[in-house]
Amino acid sequence: FGAGVVEAFDPADTVPVHLQRAGWQTASLVANPNLTAEFGFHAGWDAHHLDEGASADAQVDRALTLLDAHAAGDAPPPLFLFLHLMDPHLPYDEGPAHQGLFAGEAPTPRTAGPLQEPTLKGANAVRPLTPEELQYLGDRYDQNVHAVDAALARLLPRLGPDDLVVVTSDHGEALGEHGEFGHGQGLTEEQVAIPLVVRGPGWSAVRSPAPVGLDDVGATLLAAAGVGSPAGASGRDLLTLLASPPEQPRPQRLSHTHYGPARVGV
């Protein structure tokens, strides 16, 4: 980045904090303990519920219950809901309804049982996973993606045309590429490329011609809510960006490693 540029996270300067101050009701339904007070994700929520490792179906059930309760209120304030789904994540523990869709029985003992990054990486170091084993791993991942798709198919019809919906992720997933499994070890395409889909009033079917990132999500949400971004924030409102793309895209922060050698990509 250059001298003097520091990455920082301030729990008092987040999207839910700013929306709550502006009179919004805020709720967080998460399935990962990384999204809790221990890591600074506690501020700004009127309601915060952690169910570690919960399935997408269970999370969507909670979201539907919350939406019903909110709608039943007398002149309810606008609602910001953060719904976190964990399924496309090791150990790929999809429920019975999604088993057998793409993956059959594990082809070898080392791909049987719960799939974990250290186990897979250790087995691969001893003897590289075969094409059949890698196909099985990818098929298990796809079954978990399918579980999320099916759960969201129950949630999205509950939302109206004036609701802004953002679907995204915090990382990609390596499935044996470059000898890696899971995420956080490298900056290769499979670990850093993520979905980012926005649906809502004023949006049309168009793809951004310039690189965008997760810091733009916060700016987009605050702009849609009529709340300005805090001073010094790096993100841009994507709706404005699409309406008037810059002639020269800015340098875009890509990601950084969490394990192994410390690296940052731009």
Side-chain angles (χ1 to χ4, degrees):
F1 281 129
V5 179
V6 178
E7 181 188 26
F9 170 69
D10 182 358
D13 193 23
T14 62
V15 169
V17 167
H18 289 285
L19 291 178
Q20 190 181 55
R21 288 173 182 166
W24 285 59
Q25 183 178 340
T26 60
S28 176
L29 303 174
V30 302
N32 189 326
N34 286 334
L35 298 170
T36 55
E38 183 178 356
F39 296 94
F41 288 91
H42 59 289
W45 302 111
D46 295 309
H48 182 282
H49 181 83
L50 166 67
D51 185 357
E52 185 172 353
S55 69
D57 271 334
Q59 290 291 82
V60 165
D61 285 343
R62 290 191 180 96
L64 291 171
T65 298
L66 188 149
L67 290 172
D68 288 340
H70 177 264
D74 185 18
L79 172 67
F80 172 59
L81 170 62
F82 174 55
L83 176 64
H84 172 255
L85 307 179
M86 192 75 173
D87 306 55
H89 194 292
L90 289 168
Y92 308 149
D93 188 21
E94 68 274 33
H98 307 282
Q99 294 173 0
L101 293 175
F102 313 120
E105 295 295 324
T108 60
R110 62 182 185 167
T111 52
L115 298 166
Q116 297 291 356
E117 183 270 334
T119 305
L120 291 168
K121 192 167 185 176
N124 192 67
V126 173
R127 177 171 53 85
L129 267 65
T130 66
E132 292 76 17
E133 290 173 317
L134 291 173
Q135 181 67 48
Y136 173 77
L137 181 66
D139 289 344
R140 289 289 307 280
Y141 177 77
D142 287 346
Q143 288 178 173
N144 283 270
V145 172
H146 186 275
V148 168
D149 286 347
L152 289 178
R154 296 194 295 115
L155 175 64
L156 293 177
R158 176 65 176 75
L159 305 176
D162 292 331
D163 292 324
L164 180 68
V165 181
V166 179
V167 179
T168 190
S169 176
D170 57 333
H171 57 74
E173 194 82 345
L175 298 169
E177 302 92 342
H178 307 95
E180 300 288 0
F181 302 88
H183 54 276
Q185 311 96 343
L187 301 174
T188 50
E189 183 77 1
E190 60 274 2
Q191 295 190 50
V192 300
I194 60 169
L196 175 52
V197 182
V198 185
R199 186 195 82 178
W203 290 79
S204 57
V206 62
R207 182 184 296 269
S208 171
V212 299
L214 284 175
D215 57 343
D216 299 321
V217 174
T220 302
L221 293 171
L222 292 176
V227 179
S229 292
S234 62
R236 304 158 298 179
D237 172 25
L238 292 175
L239 191 57
T240 301
L241 177 72
L242 290 171
S244 181
E247 293 184 6
Q248 294 293 330
R250 64 168 184 172
Q252 181 72 41
R253 171 64 180 263
L254 181 67
S255 189
H256 61 90
T257 52
H258 288 270
Y259 315 108
R263 286 175 288 167
V264 173
V266 177

